[in-house]
Structure formats: C-alpha cells, structure tokens
Amino acid sequence: MTTMPPDAGPVLLIHGGAGAIQKGEASPEREAAIRTDLARSLEAGWAILARGGPALDAVEAAVRVMEDSPFFNAGHGAALTSEGTIEHDSSIMEGRTRAAGAVSGTSRIRNPVSAARAVMERTPHVMLTAAGAEQFAREQGLPLVAPWSFFTPERLQALERVQAAKRTAAATTEKDRHGTVGAVPRDGAGHLAAATSTGGYADKMPGRVGDTPIIGAGTYAHDATIAFSGTGHGESFIKGVLGHRIACLVELKGMTLADASRQALDELAALGGSGGFIAIGADGAAVLPHNTPGMYRGIARGGRMAVAIFGDDVLDA
Ligand code: ASP
C-alpha cells in the first residue's frame, strides 16, 4: 500500500479506477496517453491548490479532466449497461461544511461531477437522479450532450466480452468491469474535499446505482477526519460504508489513516469486494491502497507530481 507521511502544504490525490490492469496489455502509445491524462488531471487540480484555491474547486477540476478523457470509466468512455446504454453516477463533498451533492443514472450531462456540485450548492437536496437530474442540469446551464457521445469502441467490446462470458458461464475478467475516477485534496487552508464519478460496471442492470454517488460509501469528506474516494465493486463499498468506516476508525478509535485503511481494505475483501481508494487525512497524510493488480493513480504535492498504474509502480512525489 502506498502511504505518504503528513504534509503541511496542499496535497492532491487522484485515481482513475482499480482493476486487473496488466503490464503489456495496452500498447505503449495507449499507456503513455493514459499517463498523460492522469497528469493533466493532477495539473488541473494542482493549479487551483497552488494559487491558494479551495479543495472543492480542485476536485471538480481534476475529475472533469478524467470525465472528458476516453480512457477512464466516467463521462466519455463510461461503461455500458446490459442494454448498451450510459448511466453515470457522481458525487462531491466539502470537508469544511460536510455539504454534499450527487447525481445518479444520468446519460446526457457532459460532466456529472459539475452537476453533483450544482445539486450541493443550488438545491436543498443531496441527490437528484435520472431525468430530474438532467432537467435540473439543463436549467442550471450545464452542457447536455447526446448519450452516444460518451460511447467508446473499447467499452462496447468490453460489454460484448462480459455478455459472451455470461452465456458460456466463463469467468468475466475484472479488467472489463472496473473503473471510476476520483480526487481528494487538502488545500492550503487545511480543508478537505472529495469527488467521484463513474459509469458503474459493464453489464450492470439498468437502474443500478453503485457506491459512487452514495455519500459515506464511495465518497466522503470531513475536515476533522479524512477525505475519501473509492473504486471497485460498488455493492461491497456500500455494505461496508467504506469511506465513513475509515473516518470512524480514525476519529473514534484513534487509528492512523494507514492502519484504518488497511483494516478497511481487509473488510472490503471479507465482503467479497475488490477495488481500491485514495484517502487523505486532516494532517495531509495520504494513502492509495488497492487489492487489485493495478489502480490508475497520482499524487501532487510541493509542486511535484507522479502517476502510477501497476501494483509495483512506485509513486514518487
Ligand atoms: N465503484 C463503481 C461502481 O460500483 C465501479 C468501479 O469503481 O469500478 O459503480
């Protein structure tokens, strides 16, 4: 597990999804493009933190870059439902106020994380879903696009592989299922935030909502404890209420973020879940654990940035 010691300055962690990411699977060009987009996400968030901007702006900016990238399972490039449709989930939370917003089951909002933020800031609610969320986004002037503009050939092929495997009772590969993007920063004023965005799972049932828009399960931020964004088998994250669970272990049991994260990952596995998460403590300590072979991930602090993909990649920033 990658753990980073406390840091007095701003820190930003991102993930682009955990899964069975194997070396040599993607062409060198594709792998380089993925690393570039992870770096672009870090740069977008870091630019805000470096000029003293708020954690909330940094998470939204970092996640938007990965939503727009075709390489991650969120926004453009999201996984497809069993009907071959798009259903995005996203949420955002501010650690200072514990204000939170989320959207689920949307297929037209170009950047679901910005819609989640609008729900948080401009409605009395925490989550809007499907058509109501899209109508609200339109009223707020957020860009809506045709659902097909989110499609990529890779996600269609992944859906075909998963559905073919089901017909023959063969094991589906995790690679075809996992995804999700997220970010957690601590800004210069010591405030935390978290945001997560996903297309869910290839071949998920239409209407299925995962952990990503569920506050406490896939996304959580509280200045006194931690900020958290998860990726993996959403049902297990919901049952384990993973983000809030780590916050409780830190706050009520006095555990370090690293120890609480190890325990939470064990609990996730005991629930049958694979995946990973990024989390940052009130003191700027950072963890990026996963129980999958790889997790797209990155860190920026002190003006230095590093990205990693495979389990044995060293994240050095
Ligand atoms: N956690 C996401 C979900 O269950 C999917 C993923 O991160 O792979 O919707």
Side-chain angles (χ1 to χ4, degrees), residues 273-292:
S274 62
F277 55 85
I278 51 175
I280 195 156
D283 59 2
V287 295
L288 304 91
H290 52 98
N291 63 13
T292 48

Side-chain angles (χ1 to χ4, degrees), residues 7 21 40 64 87 125 130 132 137 139 143 151-152 162 174-175 238 252 263 280:
D7 196 310
I21 310 160
R40 286 178 46 239
R64 282 175 64 104
E87 292 186 5
H125 308 305
E139 286 163 8
F151 280 57
T152 60
V162 170
E174 287 295 312
K175 157 172 83 79
I238 294 173
L252 306 177
Q263 178 166 330
I280 195 156

Side-chain angles (χ1 to χ4, degrees), residues 15 17-18 73 89 177-181 198-201 204 208-213 230-235 237:
H15 71 78
N73 173 14
D89 295 336
R177 305 187 73 107
H178 278 308
T180 295
V181 307
T198 192
Y201 264 20
K204 69 180 181 182
R208 177 264 189 191
V209 176
D211 60 313
T212 298
T231 167
H233 184 243
E235 284 71 9
F237 278 73

